[in-house]
Amino acid sequence: MEDMEDECFVLNDDYNHNYCANGQVLYLRNELSDVPQPLSISPGLATRDVAAQENHSKVCSSSSSGLKFMDSDSSSVSSDTSETDSPSSASIAGKLTLNSASKFLMNAMTEEDYRTTYWPNLEKAIDHLLIQNPMDHISISYEQIYSCVYKCVCQQHSELLYKDLMLKITTHLQQVSSDLQISPPGNFIENFNVALSRYTDALQCIVPVFIYMNKFYIETKLNRDLREDLMKLFTDHVAEKHVNRLIPLLLEAHSMPFQVRPSTMASVVKGLYTLWPDWAHLAPAVFSGFIPQINPPTVESQLSDYAARDQKLQMDLSLNGFPRGDQSRKRASEESA
């Protein structure tokens, strides 16, 4: 036993639920006898954790200052340091709380950080998306854009981000409207179609990367939708300012077939109807050629008028150089059958 006292090691538990501290053997009293039963423990015995017993037995751990008692139900943890060196659970909890608060303060985004770091990166990406040519390839990391938006929303800058986005796109659309203002009449329909198509294509990229802001700010607090707000900007700053000039040009192009490509006519008419359906009443003859149910329902009493209108259209097409094709194989009358 004297040799064992010279060696210092820690043993918390063994198979028989005996405890040892500072290299000394501890005794576990037998439940049927008051005589302590010694257990010889070698210095190299590994420490083990065991489950708590039903009967709480108290064991003695010797130290230089005296005897200390431990409850056998407490969890046993092996440590190479002394009891005075190990921090208490309260101090550990305090350090964890302090570290968590420190990390939160270090990661907090100020308004200055937003203005100098995050928004400039987003603004640059939005510029590329708004003005890019469909034939040009521009490398943009949508993951980085989404990450910036996510961080701004999490740091309570949603309102600021929304206002900056709307202001940025409004400024762009005002420039688009100015460019259309100086466009010649012969190219106005085509230029308007390019502006509308490019803008809608850009929204297909902008709306998804701002979806986190849309979900947790616009839909939740404003009860609106980001795409609808951005389309309304185009209506207010571009389409509404030029619709009175655009409708007469569409009527003229409709009266002269193929003066404007059919795909361009269809794109412009459908775009205008999507922006504001009431504009169809300004030119029902044009809109009815591309949008169903613009004209009132067919009435049986007006069938003769419909037939006369179709004959007039065929006559106009033939006079403008569009032949009816080979009519030699057409049946002269139904009586030959």
Side-chain angles (χ1 to χ4, degrees):
M1 297 293 294
E2 296 178 356
D3 295 335
M4 294 176 63
E5 292 178 355
D6 295 336
E7 298 180 0
C8 180
F9 66 95
V10 177
L11 178 65
N12 291 323
D13 203 356
D14 61 16
Y15 288 113
N16 297 317
H17 208 57
N18 295 307
Y19 290 77
C20 178
N22 296 331
Q24 295 184 351
V25 179
L26 304 180
Y27 297 89
L28 176 65
R29 294 181 180 275
N30 194 325
E31 296 179 351
L32 302 179
S33 175
D34 294 335
V35 180
Q37 303 295 329
L39 177 64
S40 177
I41 303 175
S42 61
L45 182 62
T47 61
R48 290 180 174 87
D49 295 336
V50 296
Q53 301 294 329
E54 295 180 356
N55 298 325
H56 294 273
S57 61
K58 293 187 178 181
V59 295
C60 172
S61 59
S62 62
S63 61
S64 59
S65 59
L67 296 178
K68 297 184 179 180
F69 292 90
M70 299 188 303
D71 191 348
S72 62
D73 287 340
S74 61
S75 60
S76 58
V77 181
S78 63
S79 174
D80 292 337
T81 59
S82 62
E83 184 178 350
T84 57
D85 294 335
S86 61
S88 63
S89 59
S91 62
I92 293 177
K95 289 182 178 180
L96 291 176
T97 304
L98 182 60
N99 291 337
S100 300
S102 300
K103 290 180 179 179
F104 177 80
L105 292 176
M106 292 176 62
N107 294 330
M109 182 195 305
T110 63
E111 184 174 346
E112 182 180 0
D113 295 334
Y114 169 82
R115 290 295 184 191
T116 58
T117 304
Y118 290 90
W119 175 245
N121 293 333
L122 291 173
E123 185 178 23
K124 182 179 179 181
I126 294 171
D127 280 332
H128 285 309
L129 294 174
L130 289 174
I131 65 177
Q132 67 175 340
N133 191 321
M135 302 303 296
D136 297 338
H137 174 71
I138 301 176
S139 178
I140 298 177
S141 175
Y142 293 96
E143 181 181 0
Q144 292 181 1
I145 302 175
Y146 181 86
S147 178
C148 288
V149 173
Y150 176 82
K151 292 177 181 178
C152 293
V153 174
C154 291
Q155 295 293 332
Q156 307 300 320
H157 294 296
S158 302
E159 182 178 1
L160 190 60
L161 179 61
Y162 176 74
K163 290 181 179 179
D164 287 340
L165 176 63
M166 300 297 283
L167 179 61
K168 175 64 182 177
I169 295 184
T170 299
T171 304
H172 167 75
L173 292 177
Q174 289 173 348
Q175 181 62 43
V176 171
S177 179
S178 299
D179 295 340
L180 289 174
Q181 193 70 35
I182 60 177
S183 177
N187 298 329
F188 186 81
I189 297 177
E190 183 69 32
N191 292 339
F192 184 89
N193 179 56
V194 170
L196 178 59
S197 300
R198 184 174 296 179
Y199 183 73
T200 53
D201 291 342
L203 293 191
Q204 293 181 1
C205 300
I206 294 176
V207 173
V209 296
F210 280 87
I211 190 173
Y212 200 77
M213 180 188 70
N214 183 42
K215 182 177 181 180
F216 291 97
Y217 177 72
I218 302 176
E219 293 181 354
T220 304
K221 294 187 178 181
L222 304 181
N223 296 323
R224 297 201 301 266
D225 179 74
L226 178 59
R227 181 177 180 83
E228 293 178 359
D229 286 355
L230 296 180
M231 291 301 293
K232 188 177 185 301
L233 289 180
F234 190 91
T235 303
D236 296 340
H237 298 282
V238 180
E240 195 172 32
K241 292 184 177 181
H242 300 281
V243 67
N244 292 330
R245 182 186 179 190
L246 183 61
I247 293 297
L249 294 175
L250 291 175
L251 289 170
E252 181 182 353
H254 179 71
S255 63
M256 301 177 64
F258 299 100
Q259 180 181 2
V260 179
R261 289 184 301 176
S263 59
T264 301
M265 286 286 293
S267 178
V268 172
V269 171
K270 292 179 180 179
L272 290 176
Y273 188 80
T274 302
L275 295 174
W276 194 257
D278 290 343
W279 285 335
H281 301 299
L282 300 177
V286 176
F287 281 80
S288 62
F290 305 96
I291 308 296
Q293 299 181 354
I294 295 297
N295 291 325
T298 302
V299 182
E300 183 179 359
S301 60
Q302 297 180 355
L303 290 178
S304 59
D305 296 336
Y306 301 146
R309 188 183 307 170
D310 291 340
Q311 291 178 359
K312 182 179 182 302
L313 176 61
Q314 294 177 3
M315 185 64 67
D316 293 339
L317 290 174
S318 61
L319 293 176
N320 286 284
F322 295 95
R324 299 179 61 183
D326 186 10
Q327 302 292 321
S328 59
R329 302 183 62 183
K330 186 175 180 180
R331 290 181 296 181
S333 64
E334 298 292 335
E335 296 179 356
S336 60

